[in-house]
Amino acid sequence: MHFASDNSAPVHPLVMQALTRANDGSAMGYGNDDLSAQVVQQVRDLFEAPEAAVYLVPTGTSANALALSILCQPYQTVFCSELAHINVDECNAPEFYTGGAKLTLVRVPDVMTPDSLRAALDGEENRGVHGPLRGPVSITNVTEMGNVYSLREMTELCAVAKDYGLPVHLDGARFAQACVAMGCTPAEMTWQIGVDVAVFGGTKNGLMGVEAVVIFDPAKAQEFEYRRKRAGHLFSKHRYLAAQMEPYLTDDLWRELAISANTRAAELRAGLEALGLEIVNDTQANMIFFRMPLRAHYAAKQAGAAYHLMEPENVPEDTPVMARLVCSWDTPSETVQALLHTFRNAL
Amino acid sequence: MHFASDNSAPVHPLVMQALTRANDGSAMGYGNDDLSAQVVQQVRDLFEAPEAAVYLVPTGTSANALALSILCQPYQTVFCSELAHINVDECNAPEFYTGGAKLTLVRVPDVMTPDSLRAALDGEENRGVHGPLRGPVSITNVTEMGNVYSLREMTELCAVAKDYGLPVHLDGARFAQACVAMGCTPAEMTWQIGVDVAVFGGTKNGLMGVEAVVIFDPAKAQEFEYRRKRAGHLFSKHRYLAAQMEPYLTDDLWRELAISANTRAAELRAGLEALGLEIVNDTQANMIFFRMPLRAHYAAKQAGAAYHLMEPENVPEDTPVMARLVCSWDTPSETVQALLHTFRNAL
Amino acid sequence: MHFASDNSAPVHPLVMQALTRANDGSAMGYGNDDLSAQVVQQVRDLFEAPEAAVYLVPTGTSANALALSILCQPYQTVFCSELAHINVDECNAPEFYTGGAKLTLVRVPDVMTPDSLRAALDGEENRGVHGPLRGPVSITNVTEMGNVYSLREMTELCAVAKDYGLPVHLDGARFAQACVAMGCTPAEMTWQIGVDVAVFGGTKNGLMGVEAVVIFDPAKAQEFEYRRKRAGHLFSKHRYLAAQMEPYLTDDLWRELAISANTRAAELRAGLEALGLEIVNDTQANMIFFRMPLRAHYAAKQAGAAYHLMEPENVPEDTPVMARLVCSWDTPSETVQALLHTFRNAL
Amino acid sequence: MHFASDNSAPVHPLVMQALTRANDGSAMGYGNDDLSAQVVQQVRDLFEAPEAAVYLVPTGTSANALALSILCQPYQTVFCSELAHINVDECNAPEFYTGGAKLTLVRVPDVMTPDSLRAALDGEENRGVHGPLRGPVSITNVTEMGNVYSLREMTELCAVAKDYGLPVHLDGARFAQACVAMGCTPAEMTWQIGVDVAVFGGTKNGLMGVEAVVIFDPAKAQEFEYRRKRAGHLFSKHRYLAAQMEPYLTDDLWRELAISANTRAAELRAGLEALGLEIVNDTQANMIFFRMPLRAHYAAKQAGAAYHLMEPENVPEDTPVMARLVCSWDTPSETVQALLHTFRNAL
């Protein structure tokens, strides 16, 4: 019963097969092989962006930090929510890669609204050279709390950024899960509404370790290439990054895996609600934050379930505590039912 | 006939099998899985360094730059040869990761001697705060020109560094090939002679993309961990890095693959010498730099051979031009003979 | 009627005389002159810290950023209040000088309490390498809103920092004004309560442009020297920095000037209160934040008064708006009375 | 007999008077005062560059590093001579301010030629993302060894830079001494031949501590302003920087002082040559490098002369050793004659 994270899940069999296929003889390094070229084209096709520059990097942190480094000067500030991965889970990577830019936190824990974003932007009022200059707005979809911005909501946030003349970065570690939940195309949730650089995540959706950074203004491409190399994120045996993306982008596998994860989460959510438990977030994606009495947590732990408890355990057994459950592309319905069964028995 | 680079070679079958084995069910992320712990222990055993801190990163550039970042302050300077990978092939990664340290080039193209190293160290004489403070000495073995420092030579270089109170970094992108050529143990070529941080490369010797950074002073471990995460080089699905190292460290596979590459290079070298061609470097490892008439190069190219020509082609057909041939773990003897045959016919 | 800032004030005549005295013949550069050595000793005497390392730099931003750079690693975070100068008025200088550290804002606009500081420290809970490591606590006294921490309050904040094993930085751009208001010695408000590095400001109290950075642990001295030079803040003609500090430190001039500024502010405050105006901050130092009807502001502006209005002017004439008045070492009582007279007539 | 450095000299009396004049009442901070605006215009007039952006900073290192930071990306490399101040005397400031760019040393100790510059540029051949991208060319005039590029020589170096599409930085710590020796106008030695950003030094020619950075493309102005503030080099009491520049730019004082220093050096040089001593550099500016028997050095030292010996003293008394003599704006002819007299007696 593994619900700790979608990055605890294994690699999809088709991806393993593609790696084996790619492992045939010699190939030019550093992305100069045919498979790498093919994957770039596949991403462009998927995003309906024939001019886009596309780069593969191995981790979400490198994808976000490199993306921000081409959107943000060292004397600027990035706008994001308090719980944004770039703020709380990347150990100052954005500050490192941008050469010392700041993050200005929009005063919401997780989901930005146009008003809260505007308030933050206005808060970094014009203080001339004393304060940092306003830099990019960074949106995460699916958010850290598992919420999904609707297409309308994302459109509105982008519009605010554009009002202030600022570029937009999309942290898409769970791009697929968001896209499926939003019911739109990758183009609709990115360049068509004003996203300048999108991270198209794969690691949390069945790949071994690959994210595609999609840069819609190709004038930024050269800078990205130099910065990727400088950061040690250009793989010599690049074909093995491409080999992961290739099946992912074929026959909509990325979408299929996201649907599977989201569906399982919906099933889990319905089950928790049926048990009368409080659901904290309001999501159609693959993460659920909910509250249960501590004793239910003990029972689940006893039964071998793995997930993150988000609040301290030093409370009475009946106290509701918040926990996070994440479904992956490979979570079976049986496992969902087994967990629900464990909770049911403990309540 | 692929002699372009050892990073053009495929992944060893045992490594592919280990990846498949590791791809079984869920596992904790970020190195908190059993396989990752096991591999750390294997590296410690190999280096006879039970206290060493061991970290896996995906590329040689990240390994070197992170290693230097814990050895060098931003107001210091790193000593290395002019052709060192950290100087010519990492696009300012050392400067980036150290926060702006300088590289002071020892005035030799490739192989440092104690005297040339001392001259460079003395050149950065005490100018108080006006010049940078002296920082680490960085040694590469096998060098960029395919030369191998003997154990005595490395020992002497380390002794010079210690005379000046400086730490030593070993760029071991081809650690295995050097170790085999030197005829010593990993311990003998590192901590026993004064190396403080060694990069134990795997990518150029049959892995998909993993280097182990071995830090002999565990007091530096925490800093490295934070810096690795900050650089986006901590893999969430870390088990797939560990899975590559595990077979590599089992039954001396790393050594076996290096022996194979070095042996093939020796065979190639003997063949080239028999053809009367000038060998530029003096190596027992897997890279050969040599000169042949340009027409021989044309013939080889025609025959489909892939390798790097190191000098311009706009010369008469009889002019000797320098080329680089690299043998890999998987280079067959037949391919070596085929290339020699092609040259022979063209001369 | 100049109340815009204490850095709008001229240089004290004794300082000008000292500059003229210092301008006699040649002197060794970079602080290797007698006057520079003497001033270091004067600062040590003033702080009763015979071992302290003392460095002169030209601006408050350079003093703060260099101080933080020796207390904070790039993968750490600095704790400060939301309105701290290092957060809102230094254009990412702390991020630049620390090599990319983050600032974690204590959730108070201006004055930190032990509880709010603890909450911020606990908020950066142990997330392993995912979040930054906790770094220094930065206290500003006098604060940006003109408030003064009492000696007890500063002692408590330092104690919290020490509970977490963290160093403390004191932004003392208005050190003198605070010290006088606190009624204690420089030693009492710094190393005796746990401050590790203090900025002893001069520019806002009658000097031309000098701040002394006082580092109580001399082991940090060498690093500071190299970082100062690297930042371009080591003056070749250093004697002219020392020449400013020398009279400032003689016969308690620094204290006398601060008393003058604070006294004038008290007079101004009493006058504003007598007019029934709301005083926003609760200070014994030289800055007053208060509210008056917009029409009073218009009258003062008309009369030639210079100060900062802190709120927008696009409101009805009777609306109370906040303004900031700063008294300097040279503000005469007559000017205070003239401003009060102008307000009185307008109300 | 002070010949150690032109930054050991005092401040010119007219500058001291201007500082006193400026010290009258309150003034807006951060360069928003009338005197600061006037000085910007004076610099523009001097350079015949009505659009130029002009900024005052306190030190040569800050001027150079900030100038380079707007010309060079972190993944680029700066071309300069081995002895360039930015390489040997700024403690990694260029690396710091550019965010980690590299310096590529032109293989000449001091004076670059078009050929040596081309060789260095070609040496950073196109290695794609593996090497840094070519960045600015940095020229120093007067050089560190006291040599002066003629206008023709500077023009040729700039032409090489332009051939490669690269911007040019001029380190003009001794701009005035060079300009006088070259017999040209500031415009002729800068923007008219392709210099993009020039440092117009004052500190080494009679000011207390001010250099003007002159940026001929005003599109770079905003970035410079933010970077200057971020580095802590924006003075709150900016009028005292402007007050130094104002008399310097009035009635050609800058030129007069440089002529005085250069003339004295010519007199000194003639005297040394008359004594049969070897002159190492070939300069018309204010620095002389020459060789004398060690015993002459001992005699001068005994007589109280101050200057830098450039070679070790542990040699026999008759061995020629190299020394550096620098004349300043205030060096009197009598002092020159006294030093020559001392040498004459010792030979």
Side-chain angles (χ1 to χ4, degrees):
Chain A
M1 293 194 290
H2 222 291
F3 296 89
S5 177
D6 29 16
N7 59 36
S8 299
V11 175
H12 191 272
L14 287 173
V15 175
M16 294 304 290
Q17 289 168 26
L19 285 169
T20 301
R21 268 201 313 280
N23 196 40
D24 178 26
S26 296
M28 294 305 290
Y30 304 108
N32 299 314
D33 60 291
D34 293 344
L35 191 55
S36 294
Q38 174 194 323
V39 161
V40 167
Q41 196 50 52
Q42 284 179 287
V43 175
R44 285 174 176 157
D45 291 347
L46 176 63
F47 279 83
E48 304 167 53
E51 308 285 317
V54 177
Y55 299 104
L56 305 184
V57 295
T59 64
T61 295
S62 61
N64 285 332
L66 282 167
L68 289 170
S69 77
I70 62 165
L71 294 177
C72 189
Q73 295 295 316
Y75 45 85
Q76 292 183 332
T77 187
V78 179
F79 294 85
C80 65
S81 79
E82 293 178 5
L83 286 177
H85 200 267
I86 60 169
N87 184 44
V88 300
D89 276 317
E90 302 190 351
C91 196
N92 299 353
E95 288 87 349
F96 178 37
Y97 276 73
T98 57
K102 191 190 282 292
L103 303 190
T104 297
L105 304 182
V106 177
R107 285 305 172 80
V108 293
D110 186 52
V111 173
M112 297 190 288
T113 60
D115 282 351
S116 60
L117 176 55
R118 269 184 202 281
L121 289 162
D122 291 339
E124 294 288 350
E125 64 194 320
N126 192 342
R127 297 192 304 276
V129 298
H130 299 281
L133 204 58
R134 293 183 186 112
V137 172
S138 178
I139 304 173
T140 310
N141 206 8
V142 182
T143 72
E144 289 302 301
M145 288 293 288
N147 292 303
V148 175
Y149 289 104
S150 71
L151 186 53
R152 191 182 49 76
E153 287 169 333
M154 271 196 72
T155 304
E156 286 172 357
L157 291 176
C158 290
V160 173
K162 298 305 162 187
D163 272 1
Y164 288 77
L166 304 176
V168 176
H169 159 250
L170 174 61
D171 177 349
R174 294 187 180 91
F175 186 104
Q177 294 88 332
C179 190
V180 160
M182 294 164 81
C184 67
T185 67
E188 283 169 345
M189 71 182 272
T190 56
W191 63 268
Q192 291 188 1
I193 60 171
V195 170
D196 295 274
V197 179
V199 175
F200 178 71
T203 313
K204 287 187 155 78
N205 196 28
L207 303 191
M208 190 178 277
V210 185
E211 318 278 301
V213 180
V214 190
I215 306 170
F216 298 106
D217 174 3
K220 293 280 191 186
Q222 189 196 43
E223 177 173 356
F224 190 94
E225 288 190 40
Y226 279 89
R227 287 184 178 274
R228 177 177 57 164
K229 170 64 194 177
R230 186 176 77 117
H233 284 294
L234 175 60
F235 274 51
S236 58
K237 292 180 165 174
H238 192 273
R239 57 172 146 167
Y240 301 101
L241 296 185
Q244 298 175 54
M245 268 287 164
E246 182 262 318
Y248 191 62
L249 294 165
T250 302
D251 295 336
D252 273 355
L253 178 63
W254 66 275
R255 193 182 284 277
E256 181 191 311
L257 299 182
I259 289 172
S260 177
N262 288 4
T263 304
R264 222 49 81 219
E267 184 182 334
L268 183 52
R269 177 189 189 93
L272 294 170
E273 282 176 332
L275 293 174
L277 297 175
E278 177 201 359
I279 310 293
V280 173
N281 65 335
D282 175 29
T283 184
Q284 294 91 36
N286 64 321
M287 291 198 287
I288 295 169
F289 290 77
F290 75 110
R291 285 211 171 75
M292 63 186 149
L294 183 60
R295 69 171 188 280
H297 168 65
Y298 284 152
K301 221 162 98 177
Q302 179 84 11
Y307 55 81
H308 288 291
L309 194 67
M310 311 299 281
E311 289 174 345
E313 285 188 54
N314 55 350
V315 291
E317 280 228 332
D318 282 341
T319 316
V321 288
M322 186 163 74
R324 186 187 83 162
L325 300 172
V326 187
C327 292
S328 303
W329 67 269
D330 76 327
T331 308
S333 185
E334 296 71 41
T335 303
V336 168
Q337 293 306 326
L339 182 66
L340 288 171
H341 182 77
T342 305
F343 286 145
R344 195 175 304 120
N345 284 351
L347 290 171
Chain B
M1 293 196 290
H2 222 292
F3 296 89
S5 177
D6 30 16
N7 60 35
S8 298
V11 175
H12 192 273
L14 287 174
V15 175
M16 294 303 290
Q17 289 168 26
L19 284 169
T20 302
R21 267 201 312 280
N23 196 40
D24 179 27
S26 296
M28 293 306 289
Y30 304 107
N32 299 314
D33 59 291
D34 294 344
L35 191 55
S36 295
Q38 175 195 322
V39 161
V40 167
Q41 195 50 52
Q42 284 178 285
V43 175
R44 285 175 176 157
D45 291 347
L46 176 64
F47 279 84
E48 304 167 54
E51 307 286 317
V54 177
Y55 299 103
L56 305 184
V57 295
T59 64
T61 294
S62 61
N64 285 331
L66 282 167
L68 289 171
S69 77
I70 62 166
L71 294 177
C72 189
Q73 294 295 316
Y75 46 84
Q76 293 183 330
T77 188
V78 179
F79 294 86
C80 65
S81 78
E82 292 178 5
L83 287 177
H85 200 267
I86 60 169
N87 185 43
V88 300
D89 276 317
E90 301 189 352
C91 196
N92 300 354
E95 290 86 350
F96 178 37
Y97 276 74
T98 58
K102 191 189 284 293
L103 303 190
T104 296
L105 304 182
V106 177
R107 285 304 172 82
V108 293
D110 186 51
V111 173
M112 296 191 288
T113 59
D115 282 352
S116 61
L117 177 55
R118 269 184 202 282
L121 289 161
D122 292 338
E124 293 290 349
E125 65 194 319
N126 191 345
R127 297 192 306 276
V129 298
H130 299 282
L133 205 58
R134 292 182 187 113
V137 172
S138 177
I139 303 172
T140 310
N141 207 6
V142 181
T143 71
E144 289 302 302
M145 288 293 287
N147 293 303
V148 175
Y149 289 105
S150 70
L151 186 53
R152 189 182 52 75
E153 288 169 332
M154 271 197 71
T155 304
E156 285 172 358
L157 290 176
C158 289
V160 172
K162 297 304 161 189
D163 273 0
Y164 288 76
L166 304 176
V168 176
H169 160 250
L170 174 60
D171 176 349
R174 294 186 178 93
F175 186 104
Q177 294 89 331
C179 189
V180 160
M182 295 165 81
C184 68
T185 67
E188 283 169 344
M189 72 182 271
T190 55
W191 62 269
Q192 290 188 2
I193 60 171
V195 170
D196 296 274
V197 178
V199 174
F200 178 70
T203 313
K204 285 186 156 80
N205 197 28
L207 303 193
M208 190 178 277
V210 185
E211 319 278 302
V213 180
V214 190
I215 306 170
F216 298 107
D217 174 3
K220 293 280 192 187
Q222 189 197 42
E223 177 174 356
F224 190 93
E225 288 190 40
Y226 279 89
R227 287 185 179 272
R228 177 177 58 163
K229 170 64 195 177
R230 186 177 77 119
H233 283 294
L234 174 61
F235 274 50
S236 58
K237 291 180 165 176
H238 192 273
R239 57 171 146 167
Y240 300 101
L241 296 185
Q244 298 176 53
M245 269 288 165
E246 181 262 318
Y248 191 62
L249 294 165
T250 302
D251 296 335
D252 273 354
L253 178 62
W254 66 275
R255 192 181 285 276
E256 180 190 313
L257 298 182
I259 289 172
S260 178
N262 288 3
T263 303
R264 223 46 83 219
E267 185 182 334
L268 183 53
R269 178 189 190 94
L272 295 171
E273 282 175 332
L275 294 174
L277 297 176
E278 177 200 357
I279 309 292
V280 173
N281 65 335
D282 175 31
T283 184
Q284 295 91 36
N286 64 322
M287 290 198 288
I288 295 169
F289 289 76
F290 76 109
R291 284 210 172 75
M292 63 185 148
L294 183 59
R295 68 170 188 281
H297 168 65
Y298 284 152
K301 221 162 99 175
Q302 180 84 12
Y307 55 81
H308 287 292
L309 194 67
M310 310 299 282
E311 290 172 346
E313 285 187 54
N314 55 350
V315 291
E317 280 228 332
D318 282 342
T319 315
V321 288
M322 187 162 73
R324 187 187 83 161
L325 300 171
V326 187
C327 292
S328 302
W329 68 269
D330 76 327
T331 308
S333 183
E334 295 71 40
T335 304
V336 168
Q337 292 306 325
L339 182 66
L340 289 170
H341 182 76
T342 305
F343 286 145
R344 195 176 305 120
N345 286 351
L347 291 170
Chain C
M1 295 194 291
H2 221 291
F3 296 89
S5 176
D6 30 17
N7 61 35
S8 297
V11 175
H12 191 272
L14 287 174
V15 174
M16 293 305 289
Q17 289 168 26
L19 285 170
T20 301
R21 268 201 313 279
N23 195 42
D24 180 26
S26 295
M28 294 305 291
Y30 303 108
N32 299 314
D33 59 290
D34 294 343
L35 191 56
S36 294
Q38 174 193 322
V39 160
V40 167
Q41 196 49 53
Q42 284 179 286
V43 174
R44 285 175 176 156
D45 291 347
L46 175 64
F47 280 84
E48 305 168 52
E51 308 286 317
V54 177
Y55 299 103
L56 305 184
V57 295
T59 64
T61 295
S62 60
N64 285 333
L66 282 167
L68 289 170
S69 77
I70 62 166
L71 295 177
C72 189
Q73 294 295 316
Y75 45 85
Q76 292 183 331
T77 188
V78 179
F79 294 85
C80 65
S81 78
E82 292 179 5
L83 287 177
H85 201 267
I86 61 169
N87 183 44
V88 299
D89 276 316
E90 301 190 350
C91 196
N92 299 353
E95 289 85 350
F96 178 36
Y97 276 74
T98 58
K102 192 189 281 293
L103 303 189
T104 297
L105 304 183
V106 177
R107 285 306 172 81
V108 293
D110 186 52
V111 173
M112 297 190 288
T113 59
D115 282 352
S116 60
L117 176 56
R118 269 183 202 282
L121 289 161
D122 291 339
E124 293 290 350
E125 65 194 320
N126 192 344
R127 298 193 303 277
V129 299
H130 298 281
L133 204 58
R134 292 183 187 113
V137 172
S138 177
I139 304 173
T140 310
N141 206 8
V142 183
T143 72
E144 289 302 300
M145 287 295 286
N147 292 305
V148 175
Y149 289 105
S150 70
L151 186 53
R152 189 182 50 75
E153 287 168 333
M154 272 197 70
T155 303
E156 285 172 358
L157 290 176
C158 289
V160 173
K162 298 305 160 189
D163 273 1
Y164 288 77
L166 304 176
V168 176
H169 159 250
L170 174 60
D171 176 350
R174 294 188 179 90
F175 186 104
Q177 293 89 332
C179 189
V180 161
M182 294 165 82
C184 68
T185 67
E188 283 169 345
M189 71 182 271
T190 57
W191 62 269
Q192 290 188 1
I193 60 173
V195 171
D196 295 274
V197 178
V199 174
F200 178 71
T203 313
K204 285 187 158 77
N205 196 29
L207 303 192
M208 190 177 276
V210 186
E211 319 277 302
V213 180
V214 190
I215 307 169
F216 298 106
D217 174 3
K220 292 280 190 186
Q222 188 196 42
E223 178 174 357
F224 191 94
E225 289 190 39
Y226 278 89
R227 288 185 177 272
R228 177 177 58 164
K229 169 65 194 178
R230 186 176 78 118
H233 284 294
L234 175 60
F235 274 51
S236 58
K237 292 179 165 174
H238 192 273
R239 58 172 145 167
Y240 301 101
L241 296 185
Q244 297 176 54
M245 268 287 164
E246 181 262 318
Y248 191 63
L249 295 165
T250 303
D251 295 337
D252 273 355
L253 179 62
W254 66 275
R255 193 181 283 278
E256 179 190 314
L257 299 182
I259 289 172
S260 178
N262 288 5
T263 304
R264 222 50 80 218
E267 185 182 334
L268 183 53
R269 178 189 189 92
L272 294 169
E273 284 176 330
L275 293 173
L277 297 175
E278 177 201 356
I279 309 293
V280 173
N281 65 335
D282 176 28
T283 184
Q284 294 92 37
N286 64 322
M287 289 198 289
I288 295 169
F289 290 77
F290 76 110
R291 284 209 173 77
M292 62 186 149
L294 183 59
R295 68 171 189 279
H297 167 65
Y298 285 152
K301 220 163 101 176
Q302 178 85 12
Y307 55 82
H308 287 292
L309 194 68
M310 311 299 283
E311 290 174 345
E313 285 187 55
N314 55 350
V315 290
E317 281 228 331
D318 283 340
T319 316
V321 289
M322 187 163 73
R324 186 187 85 161
L325 300 172
V326 187
C327 292
S328 303
W329 67 269
D330 77 327
T331 308
S333 184
E334 294 72 38
T335 303
V336 168
Q337 292 306 326
L339 182 67
L340 289 170
H341 183 78
T342 305
F343 285 146
R344 195 174 305 120
N345 285 352
L347 290 170
Chain D
M1 295 196 290
H2 221 291
F3 295 89
S5 176
D6 30 15
N7 60 37
S8 298
V11 175
H12 192 273
L14 287 173
V15 175
M16 294 304 290
Q17 289 168 27
L19 285 169
T20 302
R21 267 200 314 280
N23 195 41
D24 180 26
S26 296
M28 294 306 290
Y30 304 108
N32 299 314
D33 59 291
D34 294 343
L35 191 56
S36 294
Q38 174 193 322
V39 160
V40 167
Q41 197 49 53
Q42 283 180 287
V43 174
R44 285 174 175 158
D45 291 347
L46 176 65
F47 280 83
E48 305 167 54
E51 307 286 317
V54 178
Y55 298 102
L56 306 184
V57 296
T59 64
T61 294
S62 61
N64 285 332
L66 282 167
L68 290 170
S69 77
I70 62 166
L71 294 177
C72 190
Q73 293 295 316
Y75 46 85
Q76 293 183 331
T77 187
V78 179
F79 295 85
C80 65
S81 77
E82 292 179 6
L83 287 177
H85 200 267
I86 60 170
N87 184 44
V88 299
D89 275 317
E90 301 191 350
C91 196
N92 300 354
E95 289 86 349
F96 178 36
Y97 276 73
T98 58
K102 191 189 282 294
L103 303 190
T104 297
L105 304 183
V106 177
R107 285 303 171 83
V108 293
D110 186 51
V111 173
M112 296 190 289
T113 58
D115 283 351
S116 60
L117 177 56
R118 268 183 202 283
L121 289 161
D122 291 339
E124 293 290 351
E125 65 193 319
N126 192 343
R127 298 191 306 275
V129 299
H130 299 281
L133 203 58
R134 292 183 187 113
V137 172
S138 177
I139 303 173
T140 310
N141 206 8
V142 182
T143 72
E144 289 302 300
M145 287 295 286
N147 292 303
V148 175
Y149 289 105
S150 70
L151 185 53
R152 190 182 51 75
E153 289 169 333
M154 272 196 71
T155 304
E156 286 172 358
L157 291 175
C158 289
V160 173
K162 297 305 161 187
D163 273 1
Y164 289 77
L166 305 175
V168 177
H169 160 250
L170 173 60
D171 177 349
R174 294 186 180 92
F175 186 103
Q177 294 89 332
C179 189
V180 161
M182 295 165 82
C184 68
T185 67
E188 283 169 345
M189 72 182 271
T190 57
W191 63 268
Q192 290 189 2
I193 60 173
V195 170
D196 295 273
V197 179
V199 175
F200 178 70
T203 313
K204 285 186 157 79
N205 196 28
L207 302 192
M208 190 178 277
V210 185
E211 318 278 303
V213 180
V214 190
I215 307 168
F216 298 107
D217 174 2
K220 293 280 191 186
Q222 189 197 42
E223 178 174 355
F224 190 93
E225 289 190 39
Y226 279 89
R227 287 186 178 271
R228 176 176 59 164
K229 170 64 193 178
R230 186 176 77 118
H233 284 294
L234 175 60
F235 274 51
S236 58
K237 292 179 165 174
H238 192 273
R239 57 172 147 168
Y240 300 101
L241 295 185
Q244 297 176 53
M245 268 286 164
E246 182 263 318
Y248 191 63
L249 294 166
T250 302
D251 295 336
D252 273 354
L253 178 62
W254 66 275
R255 193 181 283 277
E256 180 190 313
L257 299 182
I259 289 173
S260 178
N262 288 5
T263 304
R264 222 50 81 219
E267 186 183 332
L268 183 52
R269 178 188 189 93
L272 295 170
E273 283 176 330
L275 294 174
L277 297 176
E278 178 200 358
I279 309 293
V280 173
N281 65 334
D282 175 30
T283 183
Q284 295 92 35
N286 64 321
M287 289 198 289
I288 295 169
F289 290 76
F290 76 109
R291 284 210 173 75
M292 62 185 151
L294 183 60
R295 68 172 189 282
H297 169 65
Y298 284 152
K301 219 163 101 177
Q302 179 83 13
Y307 55 82
H308 287 292
L309 194 67
M310 311 299 283
E311 291 174 345
E313 286 187 55
N314 55 350
V315 290
E317 280 227 333
D318 283 340
T319 317
V321 288
M322 186 162 73
R324 186 186 83 161
L325 300 172
V326 188
C327 292
S328 302
W329 67 270
D330 76 326
T331 307
S333 183
E334 295 72 39
T335 303
V336 168
Q337 293 306 325
L339 182 67
L340 288 171
H341 182 76
T342 305
F343 285 146
R344 196 175 305 120
N345 285 350
L347 291 171

